[in-house]
């Protein structure tokens, strides 16, 4: 069982997390979704398309992205959370800032998705006395510089031991395992080869015994493999999501919800026949 605020999932089928960006640089049309109203209407479309959960983010963490102030991030995400709080699916806040976590939990989110794995000062305290789910992600470096010279002796071992360490810390603080999902952090301080190794051997991370979340949607890794620009990576993203689920991912974080749901329905039908 995966506990996500007042929601629960048995994880018998993979979950689709729809991405709701409230950042002006997120879309090629120069900030169309920057306004809260546009983000909300985009979010409602993702629910309609079959999203199981929505991940709301007010600061881009893609390579080279600049950080935004706490206040700016709050101004972006809070109106969106408030407008969506009574929608049919749980809301996740994509943030590494403790103040944003606190405000988002107060406003009704069911999950905190932290690319910094709750390593910021006070991040653990911000989530401890709540019932929200927690996504702990691995990264090397910070978004501004992480793609400059990623280096690992063994990327799988290093990602696994980092995540295990973070889980142990949360367990020691009294966080129930049912609240935790783990994410290898595709594209966060990884070369194409590192990303491919992680995806190829994702099943090894399953041995950590917690659900895995995978975010590959439209990432540069897919651009490197296909030669396609970011908005032309839908097919590659769907293929990557399908491969991730086949290798054990419990949840995929995607832009293209409808297409991903369709693909997973085929996989689910085929897998059902096996049992
Ligand atoms: C992710 C993720 C995330 N990715 C989780 N949260 C982003 N849990 C934001 C590129 O290489 O994978 N897991 N929140 C977006 N980050 C990136 C990173 C976007 C790399 C693009 C790239 O293009």
């Amino acid at each position: 069982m995966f506990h996500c605020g007042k929601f629960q999932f048995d994880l018998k089928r993979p979950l689709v997390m729809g991405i709701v960006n409230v950042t002006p640089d997120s879309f090629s049309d120069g900030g169309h979704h920057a306004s809260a109203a546009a983000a909300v209407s985009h979010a409602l479309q993702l629910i309609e398309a079959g999203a199981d959960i929505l991940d709301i983010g007010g600061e881009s963490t893609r390579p080279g992205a600049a950080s935004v102030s706490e206040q700016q991030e709050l101004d972006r995400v809070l109106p969106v959370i408030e407008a969506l709080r009574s929608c049919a699916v749980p809301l996740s806040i994509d943030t590494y800032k403790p103040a944003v976590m606190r405000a988002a939990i107060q406003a009704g989110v069911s999950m905190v998705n932290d690319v910094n794995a709750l390593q910021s000062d006070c991040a653990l305290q911000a989530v401890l006395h709540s019932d929200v789910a927690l996504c702990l992600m691995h990264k090397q470096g910070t978004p501004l510089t992480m793609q400059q010279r990623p280096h690992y002796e063994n990327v799988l071992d290093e990602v696994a031991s980092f995540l295990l360490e973070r889980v142990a810390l949360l367990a020691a603080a009294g966080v129930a395992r049912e609240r935790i999902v783990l994410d290898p952090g595709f594209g966060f301080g990884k070369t194409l080869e590192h990303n491919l190794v992680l995806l190829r051997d994702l099943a090894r991370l399953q041995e950590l015994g917690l659900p895995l979340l995978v975010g590959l949607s439209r990432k540069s890794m897919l651009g490197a493999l296909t030669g396609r620009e970011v908005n032309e990576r839908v097919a590659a993203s769907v293929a990557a999501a399908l491969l991730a689920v086949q290798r054990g991912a419990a949840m995929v974080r995607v832009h293209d919800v409808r297409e991903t749901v369709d693909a997973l329905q085929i996989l689910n039908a085929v897998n059902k026949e096996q049992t």
Side-chain angles (χ1 to χ4, degrees):
M1 243 347 150
F2 171 51
H3 292 211
C4 191
K6 64 176 166 26
F7 296 85
Q8 285 194 11
F9 295 100
D10 63 17
L11 302 182
K12 282 186 185 139
R13 71 176 177 82
L15 300 178
V16 175
M17 170 184 262
I19 300 169
V20 180
N21 283 316
V22 204
T23 52
D25 66 337
S26 291
F27 286 81
S28 57
D29 54 1
H32 171 70
H33 283 276
S35 76
V40 170
S41 88
H42 182 64
L44 295 175
Q45 284 172 31
L46 297 185
I47 296 174
E48 190 74 15
D52 296 294
I53 179 164
L54 295 176
D55 191 37
I56 299 163
E59 173 178 337
S60 175
T61 51
R62 76 182 46 174
S67 58
V68 303
S69 75
E70 187 179 291
Q71 192 56 51
Q72 201 169 3
E73 194 175 333
L74 285 166
D75 290 344
R76 289 177 183 179
V77 298
L78 281 182
V80 177
I81 294 167
E82 275 153 19
L84 293 170
R85 64 181 297 165
S86 46
C87 77
V89 304
L91 304 177
S92 162
I93 178 73
D94 185 351
T95 191
Y96 60 86
K97 296 190 186 75
V100 177
M101 294 175 192
R102 284 184 193 276
I105 291 169
Q106 190 77 35
V109 301
S110 298
M111 178 165 175
V112 167
N113 170 27
D114 182 2
V115 300
N116 201 31
L118 302 176
Q119 294 178 100
S120 310
D121 288 340
C122 304
L124 192 56
Q125 290 95 308
V127 300
L128 211 52
H129 303 289
S130 73
D131 61 355
V132 301
L134 304 168
C135 178
L136 306 175
M137 199 196 79
H138 174 274
K139 64 173 167 52
Q140 186 176 84
T142 63
L144 199 58
T145 57
M146 63 191 178
Q147 289 308 111
Q148 285 170 11
R149 278 193 77 201
H151 177 78
Y152 301 84
E153 293 299 322
N154 181 316
V155 68
L156 267 169
D157 287 349
E158 287 170 50
V159 168
S161 65
F162 170 80
L163 292 174
L164 215 51
E165 222 170 88
R166 299 308 295 164
V167 171
L169 192 117
L170 260 64
V175 174
R177 288 177 69 84
E178 287 73 20
R179 287 173 61 190
I180 305 174
V181 298
L182 303 178
D183 185 335
F186 286 98
F188 285 88
K190 280 121 188 155
T191 63
L192 173 59
E193 194 52 42
H194 294 142
N195 288 318
L196 285 172
V197 167
L198 284 170
L199 182 55
R200 191 175 296 135
D201 287 341
L202 196 68
R204 252 216 55 202
L205 297 178
Q206 254 202 310
E207 292 167 13
L208 301 176
L210 288 170
L212 299 178
L213 190 162
V214 162
L216 286 159
S217 189
R218 299 186 186 177
K219 286 188 178 174
S220 53
M221 164 189 180
L222 306 178
L225 294 171
T226 59
R228 303 238 181 249
E229 291 306 318
V230 64
N231 287 323
E232 288 159 2
R233 297 177 191 162
V234 180
S237 298
V238 171
L242 200 67
L243 289 168
V245 168
Q246 273 204 303
R247 284 158 169 74
M251 196 186 305
V252 284
R253 181 181 179 277
V254 305
H255 298 89
D256 305 291
V257 169
R258 187 180 302 281
E259 293 83 352
T260 306
V261 167
D262 278 3
L264 291 176
Q265 274 167 342
I266 309 310
L267 180 65
N268 294 343
V270 171
N271 285 346
K272 219 176 265 169
E273 284 306 305
Q274 289 177 344
T275 60

